[in-house]
Amino acid sequence: MSVSRKSLFSGALALTLLATSGYTTMELRRRAERPATAAAPLVAAARASHQAAGAAPKAGDYRYERLAAPDRTVVRDAGGAVLATLTDKARTAVLTGPGRVFAEPGTTSATVTGDSWVRLMPQPWRVGAEGEAWFRTWFQQSLGSTADDVLAIATQYMAGAAPEKDGKGVRYRGDASFGPINPDGSTGQDLRLEQTDFFDYLGIPYSFADKVTKRPDKTRYGAFDCSGFVRMVYGYRSGFPLLSKDVAGAGLARSANGLARFSPGVPVLPLTTLPGSDVTVRPLSIDALQPGDLVFFEIDSRTGARLDHTGIFLGIDTDGHPRYISSREEADGPTFGDKGGTARLDDNGMYAKGLRSAKRL
């Protein structure tokens, strides 16, 4: 199996483009929530105008609309354009911002274009929180911000991504691999070794929320597996608490199976099993997905009902298909391209057929 690297990631700002396709249900729902397709640049411009004038938007400028499945609050401006989607019991918020494009031309001709910016709120959303000081402060600071969000952070580890170090000299972003070559080769059936976490990429010890400290494996420097990638993006970089192993608690568990079954979050695609068995099945619909959701898969038949792969839903690509990003051994690191299997969630490829559930943190 080839281990050639992916091509350089490139990104650029662009207006939102919604491609038409047979996969319309998800798009129809989103358009119902977002009546003004070209609102993002206008929202950013209005925000800049407020800031230039030294005036903060007033709470009365917003309308808070309740929707279900999952229960959530949609924030609209006075003209009805959607500014944010806030899901009950989740910290993840999707804000409307400037349009942008994510591209990976070495592995797919499709790009993901949109105006969704995914950020973590200081605490989970609940009905009525719009009147609380913590939310007003956070929303004021976040609406219109172009600082790195969850989606931007996720793409900062693809092939060719530029490295960057913090003030202590720790490289915290840049081209990542999946893990060391498996010494057992085809005998072990895995091209590369798993069990590589985000602190291996960093090359530093890490003290977890469950009071356990782990030290990196030097042979795994610059690498992380699929769950290690999610933990880097949502945990180390975005601030969600992290646990050292697969246990239930107020942090992200270690593996894909642990993230799906034990970690906090709101199920948006519930895990479903066949009656009288532990066999999990593909969701009948994925309409509830929004950018930033964690998606979970059962790919490896050797693991039984255990979920063995995870990634982050990136959005609708320019061919009209839902696409996700994950760290994959076939691509030797994070990708939303099609090396080793299409990263689309609506076809009959390996990952789409293996999709089992999704969660909103």
Side-chain angles (χ1 to χ4, degrees):
M1 188 177 298
S2 171
V3 296
S4 61
R5 300 290 290 148
K6 307 181 299 297
S7 70
L8 176 66
F9 159 77
S10 62
L13 293 180
L15 295 179
T16 302
L17 172 64
L18 293 177
T20 57
S21 74
Y23 195 83
T24 57
T25 308
M26 181 186 295
E27 285 309 315
L28 289 172
R29 179 180 65 79
R30 287 179 179 163
R31 290 171 185 173
E33 290 188 15
R34 181 170 299 174
T37 303
L42 300 179
V43 169
R47 173 75 170 172
S49 176
H50 275 295
Q51 292 174 335
K58 299 177 181 179
D61 293 340
Y62 307 134
R63 292 192 290 111
Y64 296 87
E65 177 184 349
R66 292 292 293 169
L67 298 175
D71 292 338
R72 62 198 187 278
T73 297
V74 171
V75 186
R76 299 184 186 273
D77 66 13
V82 170
L83 302 181
T85 300
L86 316 167
T87 302
D88 293 5
K89 300 181 181 180
R91 288 181 59 188
T92 301
V94 177
L95 306 172
T96 301
R100 55 183 173 174
V101 176
F102 297 118
E104 192 181 345
T107 59
T108 179
S109 61
T111 61
V112 177
T113 306
D115 60 1
S116 295
W117 293 66
V118 180
R119 302 193 183 279
L120 285 184
M121 294 181 286
Q123 54 185 277
W125 177 254
R126 58 184 176 277
V127 177
E130 62 268 23
E132 299 177 11
W134 72 266
F135 175 74
R136 294 197 301 267
T137 299
W138 176 85
F139 196 52
Q140 170 71 16
Q141 294 172 344
S142 301
L143 183 62
S145 171
T146 56
D148 288 347
D149 71 326
V150 166
L151 304 186
I153 291 170
T155 62
Q156 290 170 359
Y157 300 94
M158 299 199 304
E164 190 166 331
K165 296 182 178 181
D166 63 19
K168 296 181 178 180
V170 176
R171 186 184 69 167
Y172 66 92
R173 58 176 283 184
D175 188 337
S177 66
F178 182 86
I181 292 289
N182 188 348
D184 295 329
S186 59
T187 302
Q189 299 187 44
D190 287 316
L191 173 65
R192 293 181 175 272
L193 295 177
E194 299 199 30
Q195 304 302 318
T196 303
D197 207 352
F198 71 95
F199 61 88
D200 292 306
Y201 174 94
L202 298 168
I204 58 173
Y206 190 83
S207 296
F208 291 89
D210 51 358
K211 310 302 181 184
V212 173
T213 298
K214 289 195 172 184
R215 297 187 177 279
D217 180 340
K218 293 181 179 180
T219 67
R220 298 170 184 253
Y221 177 70
F224 39 56
D225 59 19
C226 63
S227 52
F229 170 63
V230 167
R231 283 153 64 84
M232 171 66 88
V233 174
Y234 263 108
Y236 187 80
R237 293 289 304 278
S238 300
F240 208 99
L242 292 163
L243 301 177
S244 65
K245 54 190 175 182
D246 281 349
V247 292
L252 301 182
R254 170 60 187 98
S255 71
N257 191 65
L259 286 167
R261 299 180 187 272
F262 306 134
S263 291
V266 177
V268 290
L269 301 181
L271 184 62
T272 303
T273 58
L274 293 176
S277 76
D278 62 355
V279 177
T280 57
V281 295
R282 181 178 181 177
L284 294 177
S285 170
I286 61 173
D287 291 351
L289 286 176
Q290 70 178 23
D293 287 349
L294 301 188
V295 285
F296 301 98
F297 305 82
E298 185 184 342
I299 304 298
D300 191 340
S301 60
R302 297 170 297 167
T303 63
R306 180 181 175 84
L307 302 177
D308 48 56
H309 189 64
T310 184
I312 299 170
F313 180 54
L314 199 56
I316 304 299
D317 69 22
T318 45
D319 294 325
H321 301 290
R323 190 167 285 269
Y324 84 104
I325 183 171
S326 69
S327 185
R328 293 156 60 171
E329 62 178 288
E330 297 89 349
D332 191 20
T335 180
F336 63 83
D338 300 323
K339 185 175 179 60
T342 57
R344 289 167 41 182
L345 300 177
D346 64 340
D347 62 6
N348 286 316
M350 175 177 66
Y351 290 102
K353 290 194 296 185
L355 180 66
R356 293 295 180 264
S357 67
K359 176 179 289 186
R360 190 165 301 157
L361 295 180

